[in-house]
Amino acid sequence: MSYEAIVIGVSLGGMNALKIMFSLLPKNFNTPIIIVQHLSPRSDNQWIKILNEKSNLHIKEADEKEKIEKGNVYIAPANYHLPIEKNKTFSLTINERVNFARPSIDVLFESAAEAYKNKLIGIVLTGSNKDGTNGIKRIQEFGGLTIIQNPETTESSYMPISALSAIRPDYILSLEEIIKVLIKIDKQIIR
Amino acid sequence: MKYNDTSELEISLLLEAVFQKYGYDFRQYSEAHIRRRVINRMAMAGLEDISQMQSKVLKDELFASEFLQDLSITVTEMFRDSGFYRSLRENVLPILKTYPFIKIWHAGCASGEEAYSMAIIMQEEGLYDRTTIYATDFNQQALNKAKEGIFSNSMMKEYTSNYQLSGGKESFSSYYTSNYDNVIMNQSLKKNIVWANHNLVTDSVFAEVHLILCRNVLIYFNRNLQNKVQKLFYNSLINGGILCLGSKEGLRFTDFYEAYTELDKKQRIFKKKY
């Protein structure tokens, strides 16, 4: 099975989780990664620049109508939803908050599921919100691979537990184990 | 309900039906945005698929008007992006001050929060008496709300902090009267705002203005439609006029990139070249 994109939803505890993730993912990691991290609506993209400096991969804020490219990591800008279009470009919207969140993980996941169908990997990490639950369910319905961080290994377990109440995912793993799985899958993809 | 793959064809037929019957043109909107709204409305109305929805939209005008409300974006805030409003005060008003009268077009004003924000700034800078703000939207329901100037009290804490961060000079609560759950904006702010129904997609130039403010509207449009609306803006601005876009919007992929200089790159404020 070959995967074309990875979507990640993360909330409380996310800054640490992402720091760990991008210190471990290697330079040749090819599958594009798209992330919603819940943030204060007023936060700027400075933290993305810092994350990028410490990463082997190119991490950037997603731009309006930007085409999703291999080898890149995209992060939703604060105070915008980040749906993915079927032509694999980003849209930005300021629609109502979903699960009290903008950007919302569900908005990213549900649109990504429609765009990538079974060629998508969805991951729910640490967080204190039920955002991502509907989205990960939709990814599974479209045949995508689903991974939920083992709640016992999270800074905040509410979000993974909520996701686990909705689906039986393909993997329930610690962050370090998730990263290993991703690297393995990424290597197997024939390009 | 089951989440079928909502086909692009069905959605485009639905939008075609809306356009043919009601004249509202969403055919060049972001598809992901439209799809999400369609799926939500289908679920709420207990409809099976988009074809059913199309037939209901055509036959049931009340349902159609609800759906039009879904598609219209009415999310807005007072002083959203305080950095932008600070830049407006510092970099734009010194230019506007030089004109004997000032005409501002607020395109896509929704329920008017940003139009009131603009009125507040113009008042504080002593310019409001010679200013006219044309605040337009295609959503009449939102315009009616804007005209009333009644907003939820629960938002005022956030707006106050936005206002303060934007360089506000007064006590924000002096601009409205609080009444239990709601506040009503001062009459003095309303006096020079002209609320009008205008559709950016289908209507044309209606005034020559010194400043256009259109923030977080164009992100919903495809490149072709963005370009068309930018042409409308270009033709509506005087030479040296100011164009204010949302913090993630720009001119790079339009025909008008060369037609403006950047007054504030970060806040997406542009000045039309002479």
Side-chain angles (χ1 to χ4, degrees), chain A residues 6 9 33-35 52 81 87 103 105 114-115 131 143 149:
Chain A
I6 299 166
I33 301 175
I34 304 125
I35 299 170
N52 184 47
H81 291 303
N87 64 6
I105 299 166
E114 297 234 13
D131 197 20
Q149 188 177 4

Side-chain angles (χ1 to χ4, degrees), chain A residues 120-139:
Chain A
L120 180 70
I121 302 175
I123 306 175
V124 175
L125 297 178
T126 172
S128 60
N129 179 305
K130 71 178 179 65
D131 197 20
T133 298
N134 288 335
I136 196 85
K137 194 166 165 237
R138 188 84 63 95
I139 290 172

Side-chain angles (χ1 to χ4, degrees), chain B:
Chain B
M1 79 175 256
K2 203 164 135 251
Y3 290 113
N4 289 317
D5 180 14
T6 49
S7 97
E8 279 153 291
L9 176 65
E10 281 183 301
I11 288 182
S12 82
L13 288 173
L14 175 67
L15 298 182
E16 189 64 38
V18 168
F19 176 62
Q20 297 274 332
K21 169 108 193 212
Y22 301 102
Y24 291 97
D25 191 354
F26 295 97
R27 295 173 299 173
Q28 294 190 69
Y29 271 54
S30 145
E31 210 245 328
H33 158 70
I34 299 282
R35 187 169 355 112
R36 197 174 169 83
R37 294 305 172 114
V38 168
I39 289 171
N40 283 348
R41 181 51 61 186
M42 262 167 38
M44 264 192 276
L47 299 169
E48 297 270 317
D49 55 35
I50 301 183
S51 307
Q52 263 192 16
M53 177 133 170
Q54 184 182 329
S55 135
K56 198 163 166 70
V57 159
L58 287 173
K59 286 175 197 147
D60 181 345
E61 293 201 359
L62 190 67
F63 179 79
S65 88
E66 282 173 352
F67 181 50
L68 286 173
Q69 289 298 318
D70 293 341
L71 296 182
S72 149
I73 301 95
T74 53
V75 177
T76 172
E77 284 172 41
M78 290 195 191
F79 296 96
R80 180 186 162 109
D81 304 326
S82 48
F84 163 74
Y85 284 95
R86 184 176 283 274
S87 180
L88 196 65
R89 278 186 206 261
E90 289 169 5
N91 302 316
V92 176
L93 294 201
I95 298 171
L96 293 185
K97 259 181 199 157
T98 62
Y99 297 106
F101 58 88
I102 302 161
K103 288 198 266 181
I104 294 172
W105 178 16
H106 186 142
C109 68
S111 42
E113 282 84 342
E114 286 192 304
Y116 286 105
S117 308
M118 181 63 95
I120 287 171
I121 288 183
M122 298 308 272
Q123 207 173 63
E124 286 184 9
E125 301 297 326
L127 299 171
Y128 195 44
D129 283 339
R130 51 184 162 117
T131 299
T132 304
I133 300 174
Y134 301 98
T136 67
D137 206 281
F138 75 86
N139 183 338
Q140 191 59 44
Q141 214 168 304
L143 273 180
N144 293 344
K145 185 172 186 288
K147 216 178 289 184
E148 282 178 1
I150 297 173
F151 301 107
S152 166
N153 212 341
S154 64
M155 297 306 296
M156 287 301 141
K157 202 177 149 200
E158 195 182 331
Y159 294 169
T160 302
S161 117
N162 285 355
Y163 165 77
Q164 284 163 346
L165 287 168
S166 77
K169 294 176 174 173
E170 305 290 330
S171 157
F172 190 58
S173 59
S174 67
Y175 290 111
Y176 58 81
T177 309
S178 205
N179 185 3
Y180 299 102
D181 293 343
N182 292 318
V183 305
I184 179 155
M185 303 309 290
N186 289 354
Q187 202 57 41
S188 70
L189 293 173
K190 294 181 185 174
K191 66 175 184 185
N192 292 343
I193 306 178
V194 178
W195 307 99
N197 195 306
H198 181 275
N199 190 327
L200 284 174
V201 185
T202 45
D203 293 336
S204 52
V205 174
F206 71 96
E208 190 170 62
V209 299
H210 302 83
L211 180 143
I212 292 175
L213 191 133
C214 182
R215 308 185 68 232
N216 298 312
V217 175
L218 300 177
I219 45 175
Y220 291 90
F221 299 172
N222 72 16
R223 291 258 186 257
N224 185 40
L225 185 53
Q226 285 180 346
N227 200 48
K228 185 182 157 190
V229 176
Q230 285 299 350
K231 186 175 176 190
L232 177 61
F233 288 165
Y234 184 80
N235 290 332
S236 302
L237 275 176
I238 60 157
N239 287 337
I242 308 293
L243 175 65
C244 302
L245 301 177
S247 55
K248 306 296 169 194
E249 294 168 329
L251 292 166
R252 191 145 45 108
F253 299 101
T254 72
D255 297 341
F256 301 90
Y257 187 56
E258 301 287 329
Y260 294 83
T261 54
E262 282 173 338
L263 205 59
D264 184 334
K265 192 175 178 187
K266 181 158 189 275
Q267 301 300 341
R268 313 291 165 115
I269 302 175
F270 304 88
K271 187 169 183 235
K272 181 174 162 180
K273 288 180 185 168
Y274 284 93

Side-chain angles (χ1 to χ4, degrees), chain A residues 8-11 34-38 74 76 82 103-105 108 131:
Chain A
I8 298 177
V10 61
S11 181
I34 304 125
I35 299 170
V36 163
Q37 153 85 71
H38 290 158
Y74 303 93
L82 183 67
S104 148
I105 299 166
L108 172 67
D131 197 20

Side-chain angles (χ1 to χ4, degrees), chain A residues 6-7 9 19 40 45 74 83 91 99 108 112 116 120 126 162-163:
Chain A
I6 299 166
V7 289
K19 238 185 268 171
S40 144
N45 55 13
Y74 303 93
S91 278
N99 308 312
L108 172 67
Y116 287 101
L120 180 70
T126 172
S162 172

Side-chain angles (χ1 to χ4, degrees), chain A residues 98-112:
Chain A
V98 175
N99 308 312
F100 310 103
R102 186 174 54 223
S104 148
I105 299 166
D106 280 343
V107 171
L108 172 67
F109 279 18
E110 290 170 25
S111 60

